Amino acid sequence: MELKSYTITKRIAKHGKQAIIVIPKSLREHLSPATIVEVKLTIVKDARNETDI
């Protein structure tokens, strides 16, 4: 099996008290249930230091 790699930049969403990352629908065909993925997070911009959010 060939490893596939995708890079996405997302804003963290809120779902109740949970912080979540929503995966784009266009990747659905590559992410079937039980697929194991590696997730690496790099904070690009810290929203806590902004006043307009």
Side-chain angles (χ1 to χ4, degrees), residues 1-51:
M1 181 175 97
E2 177 185 335
L3 293 179
K4 297 176 186 169
S5 178
Y6 303 93
T7 300
I8 59 174
T9 302
K10 299 289 293 182
R11 181 180 302 261
I12 302 295
K14 188 174 179 185
H15 185 17
K17 293 184 178 183
Q18 300 290 324
I20 64 168
I21 298 173
V22 179
I23 303 300
K25 188 184 277 189
S26 59
L27 292 176
R28 182 185 307 171
E29 65 186 62
H30 303 288
L31 301 172
S32 59
T35 300
I36 298 174
V37 299
E38 177 182 20
V39 178
K40 178 181 175 184
L41 301 174
T42 302
I43 297 174
V44 176
K45 188 175 191 181
D46 190 345
R48 294 176 297 179
N49 296 329
E50 294 184 14
T51 58

